[in-house]
Amino acid sequence: MANGFAGKILILHLDKETYETVPTSKYEEWIGGHGMAAALFWDYCEDKTITDPADPKNVCVLATSPIAGTPTPSGGGRAEMVAVGTQGYPTPWFTRSNMGGRFGPMMKHAGYDAFVLLGQAKRKVWISVVNDRVTFNDAESLWGLDTQETQEALMPQMVHDYHAGDWNTIASGWRDAGKTTQRPAILTTGPNPENYGPLSSLVSDMAHVIGQGGFGGVWAAKNLKAIGFLGTKSIEIADPQAMMDARLWAQQYTWGGHADNPNKYIGMQDISSPPGNSTRFYGTGVSSRPYGCVGCVRACRGRTSNYYGNEAMCIGFHWFTPQDKAAHDGVITENTAKAATLLNRVGMNANSFMPITFWLMRLYEKGLIGPGKEIESNLPFEKMGTIEFANALISSIVNLADIGADLALGLQPCAEKWGRWEEDSSTGMLPVLQYSYGHHYDPRTSADWGFASILTDRDINSHDLDFPCYWTPSQNYAQGREPDVSAARLAEIMGKKLVPFCDPEMIDYSDEGIYKKPCAKAVAWTIYYNRSWKNTVGLCDWAWTDLVNPYGKDFEGMTPDGEPKFLNACTGWNKSFEDVIWLGKKVYDLDRAIWQLQGRTREVEIFSDYVYDQPQNPKVPQTSYEIAYCLPTYNEETHEWAYKDVSGRQLDREKTEELKSHFYRAWVRSR
């Protein structure tokens, strides 16, 4: 039956170098992505109390969904990975990450919706999957190669007489199914990833990354270098006409549907954003073009004429920007793009390197690091902001040399070893928010983002409320103008679209509002939407949700009507938006069950001290991109909504615990 699924799950026994398959239908109730992966982890992990990522009993799963490889806009390229990761500290939690690009779709074209890694290989291996042919291969000679070198070495090995960009024969005796112009899709670690597990990532192509979680270290512990897929099978969906109708309906909400007369809306947009990204500077005289993942209509990434910065975006592109700007009078140079490519080639997580960048800058400014200093180092700190320094820093970590041997332990363990953790985590000098994960958005202002992060396993990395509530009003006020959508109108929109809670006060970011029950609802909604429509169904965070849209009637976007149109067209189901949201709660329940077995209690669900001890100060940035936080607030006395700059506040410990109690009670009692 055509339902968007490939139909099989690949179970890889690394210790025996054997494999088997199980039918996807056994796990279809979890849809795919995180839901399916977490369910597979639960079934195949013999000891769910483990907190050692290197334990051979640790199970690593990657799963796609029924929309992967289909024309679902900004949803056809996603895949989700789970395992006990190496990044979390002091407890390495069961955690997750995901990626876009073409790896997940190619896995489905080979015939698989997910793969499960069991045990530990007795030798260093890489795995080739070409349709139904699965082989385990020696990886000893690959272990020290970077991500690009590895992929270039493996593609010709997966296809005999390989010709890039031309027809390749992958099976004899077949006319169509035996030939393809597609390149193998390969997911790989960087060089010697066992050296820097907490900072490690997995990379496909140039910059499609399984970033947070330290999954490169998980693969290194399993003696796995890479896995590649190449397939020629079709991905059949239930209702192609419904898919095309949904695409045409969605076109009216996209920039492409209005390319001849685009809206001059100011603010961060979801699926309505124009292609490319104007914040990326690749270098003087360097040309670039937009590039997108499979099925994407936003195309937020870029391809450049000089190779540097290819496919990188967001923090993955800008991790070096603070040093670059500091060394060049506030101007971003080509060093930012070069550093982005350098980091992806070694398979390291940019979300960890942003706080490292700020921390090292501040330590150097205070005279605390360098030859003969409190922290001994011979790295060329006088050249910070140059590609020479970026290369020296990254090389020191890969090779466990100089301070790199300590940084490779992870952010908090390194600070503890240097005797800096207590001071630097209370002042914010080291911007680490929770569980040794770096500061992304500030919980003192964007409270829902922060609370959702400590109540899960890592930085939530969810822009659902962030784009319309923080970025859009803040960008407008930074330019001296009123936002196109007033705070009152924004509250009306959210009151309609944040199904099933539909409470406009969920976006009250006032000093009082961030501790009230509606904020707890916002946190729950953020977690459930992410665990369902994003992490499980596979919609991209940079396009969905579509809550506010300049091309929609009265600025209303496609959510909650759009998401089910595409899922149901693929599967033939009749699921509502709310049905899938509640599945997200079920997936979150499963995650919390695993964390509970690992020893999780509410006492560990806290922020670093600086969040409580220091007022948020936009003039002392914790990232390269934050600006003054202008957010919607509600005045209970006047019953009026207004945007207000809430910068300068800090969280109250007791009230934060009250907010957590609101959340726990609502979570336990909800459907």
Side-chain angles (χ1 to χ4, degrees), residues 81-346:
M81 180 170 283
V82 304
V84 176
T86 64
Q87 186 174 356
Y89 183 86
T91 301
W93 300 116
F94 168 76
T95 192
R96 55 158 294 274
S97 189
N98 63 25
M99 64 183 295
R102 62 191 186 90
F103 183 83
M106 186 59 76
M107 183 170 76
K108 286 183 67 176
H109 282 300
Y112 308 97
D113 294 297
F115 67 76
V116 181
L117 299 173
L118 302 177
Q120 180 187 58
K122 294 180 174 62
R123 58 172 180 154
K124 293 180 172 65
V125 299
W126 72 276
I127 300 170
S128 171
V129 184
V130 181
N131 286 333
D132 298 324
R133 187 173 70 244
V134 181
T135 58
F136 294 78
N137 309 279
D138 185 79
E140 186 68 42
S141 63
L142 304 170
W143 209 253
L145 299 185
D146 69 28
T147 61
Q148 183 175 337
E149 292 168 337
T150 300
Q151 293 177 81
E152 290 174 347
L154 296 187
M155 285 185 186
Q157 295 187 46
M158 293 184 65
V159 179
H160 178 66
D161 195 24
Y162 175 69
H163 302 284
D166 202 348
W167 286 100
N168 291 285
T169 301
I170 62 174
S172 60
W174 300 355
R175 188 177 71 87
D176 296 326
K179 292 181 180 291
T180 182
T181 58
Q182 294 297 304
R183 295 173 293 128
I186 297 168
L187 187 63
T188 181
T189 69
N192 307 314
E194 68 277 7
N195 287 353
Y196 48 93
L199 305 182
S200 66
S201 62
L202 298 169
V203 180
S204 182
D205 290 337
M206 284 297 296
H208 292 290
V209 181
I210 296 282
Q212 299 195 58
F215 287 97
V218 174
W219 280 27
K222 292 186 173 297
N223 281 329
L224 177 64
K225 175 65 176 179
I227 182 167
F229 285 90
L230 182 61
T232 55
K233 300 179 182 181
S234 298
I235 300 171
E236 298 183 3
I237 64 174
D239 194 338
Q241 185 61 55
M243 171 61 74
M244 295 311 299
D245 290 344
R247 287 273 303 197
L248 292 172
W249 170 80
Q251 186 179 32
Q252 66 184 306
Y253 292 92
T254 68
W255 182 91
H258 303 267
D260 294 333
N261 186 29
N263 193 290
K264 293 181 172 57
Y265 181 80
I266 293 176
M268 288 291 280
Q269 301 173 53
D270 295 293
I271 205 165
S272 59
S273 177
N277 190 314
S278 60
T279 68
R280 290 193 294 261
F281 175 73
Y282 296 104
T284 302
V286 179
S287 59
S288 67
R289 63 174 176 83
Y291 157 77
C293 305
V294 170
C296 186
V297 298
R298 182 173 177 183
C300 62
R301 298 172 182 264
R303 289 266 173 84
T304 68
S305 60
N306 72 343
Y307 158 83
Y308 294 110
N310 268 349
E311 299 180 6
M313 63 168 296
C314 198
I315 296 177
F317 183 86
H318 283 293
W319 75 267
F320 196 63
T321 294
Q323 287 192 17
D324 190 8
K325 291 175 68 175
H328 298 96
D329 299 321
V331 176
I332 298 175
T333 74
E334 68 277 2
N335 290 337
T336 285
K338 290 181 177 180
T341 295
L342 184 63
L343 197 69
N344 284 322
R345 288 195 64 156
V346 297

Side-chain angles (χ1 to χ4, degrees), residues 211-478:
Q212 299 195 58
F215 287 97
V218 174
W219 280 27
K222 292 186 173 297
N223 281 329
L224 177 64
K225 175 65 176 179
I227 182 167
F229 285 90
L230 182 61
T232 55
K233 300 179 182 181
S234 298
I235 300 171
E236 298 183 3
I237 64 174
D239 194 338
Q241 185 61 55
M243 171 61 74
M244 295 311 299
D245 290 344
R247 287 273 303 197
L248 292 172
W249 170 80
Q251 186 179 32
Q252 66 184 306
Y253 292 92
T254 68
W255 182 91
H258 303 267
D260 294 333
N261 186 29
N263 193 290
K264 293 181 172 57
Y265 181 80
I266 293 176
M268 288 291 280
Q269 301 173 53
D270 295 293
I271 205 165
S272 59
S273 177
N277 190 314
S278 60
T279 68
R280 290 193 294 261
F281 175 73
Y282 296 104
T284 302
V286 179
S287 59
S288 67
R289 63 174 176 83
Y291 157 77
C293 305
V294 170
C296 186
V297 298
R298 182 173 177 183
C300 62
R301 298 172 182 264
R303 289 266 173 84
T304 68
S305 60
N306 72 343
Y307 158 83
Y308 294 110
N310 268 349
E311 299 180 6
M313 63 168 296
C314 198
I315 296 177
F317 183 86
H318 283 293
W319 75 267
F320 196 63
T321 294
Q323 287 192 17
D324 190 8
K325 291 175 68 175
H328 298 96
D329 299 321
V331 176
I332 298 175
T333 74
E334 68 277 2
N335 290 337
T336 285
K338 290 181 177 180
T341 295
L342 184 63
L343 197 69
N344 284 322
R345 288 195 64 156
V346 297
M348 290 190 190
N349 176 20
N351 287 71
S352 294
F353 267 77
M354 180 71 78
I356 286 174
T357 296
F358 275 106
W359 192 31
L360 293 181
M361 288 173 64
R362 291 162 181 169
L363 289 170
Y364 182 67
E365 289 168 359
K366 291 180 177 291
L368 297 172
I369 193 167
K373 303 294 184 180
E374 176 183 315
I375 302 167
E376 179 69 33
S377 175
N378 290 311
L379 293 186
F381 281 94
E382 71 281 0
K383 296 182 179 180
M384 277 198 299
T386 68
I387 200 64
E388 181 180 347
F389 179 80
N391 187 53
L393 172 63
I394 292 171
S395 296
S396 75
I397 296 172
V398 171
N399 298 306
L400 300 183
D402 203 276
I403 59 171
D406 296 333
L407 289 169
L409 300 171
L411 300 174
Q412 185 173 338
C414 176
E416 290 177 349
K417 186 172 182 180
W418 289 352
R420 301 289 317 172
W421 173 250
E422 185 173 343
E423 178 179 344
D424 292 355
S425 66
S426 63
T427 62
M429 187 167 164
L430 172 58
V432 170
L433 277 178
Q434 73 287 314
Y435 314 140
S436 201
Y437 282 81
H439 181 116
H440 196 166
Y441 285 95
D442 205 307
R444 294 168 290 191
T445 46
S446 290
D448 53 311
W449 183 298
F451 293 141
S453 296
I454 61 170
L455 291 165
T456 53
D457 49 300
R458 43 155 281 186
D459 168 56
I460 193 67
N461 201 13
S462 168
H463 295 85
D464 308 300
L465 301 180
D466 176 65
F467 281 178
C469 294
Y470 162 51
W471 273 112
T472 296
S474 298
Q475 287 177 328
N476 276 273
Y477 287 120

Side-chain angles (χ1 to χ4, degrees), residues 3-6 31-33 62-80 99-109 112-114 233-237 243 294-295 536-539 566-567 570-571:
N3 60 0
F5 291 102
I31 298 181
L62 183 136
T64 63
S65 81
I67 72 170
T70 76
T72 300
S74 303
R78 309 303 296 179
E80 176 96 356
M99 64 183 295
R102 62 191 186 90
F103 183 83
M106 186 59 76
M107 183 170 76
K108 286 183 67 176
H109 282 300
Y112 308 97
D113 294 297
K233 300 179 182 181
S234 298
I235 300 171
E236 298 183 3
I237 64 174
M243 171 61 74
V294 170
T536 289
V537 176
L539 295 174
F566 295 102
L567 177 62
C570 289
T571 60

Side-chain angles (χ1 to χ4, degrees), residues 442 444-445 470 615-623 625-629 645-649:
D442 205 307
R444 294 168 290 191
T445 46
Y470 162 51
Q616 192 273 340
N617 185 353
K619 295 182 180 180
V620 183
Q622 308 291 355
T623 69
Y625 46 82
E626 289 176 289
I627 58 178
Y629 278 81
D645 186 350
V646 298
S647 305
R649 71 183 176 199

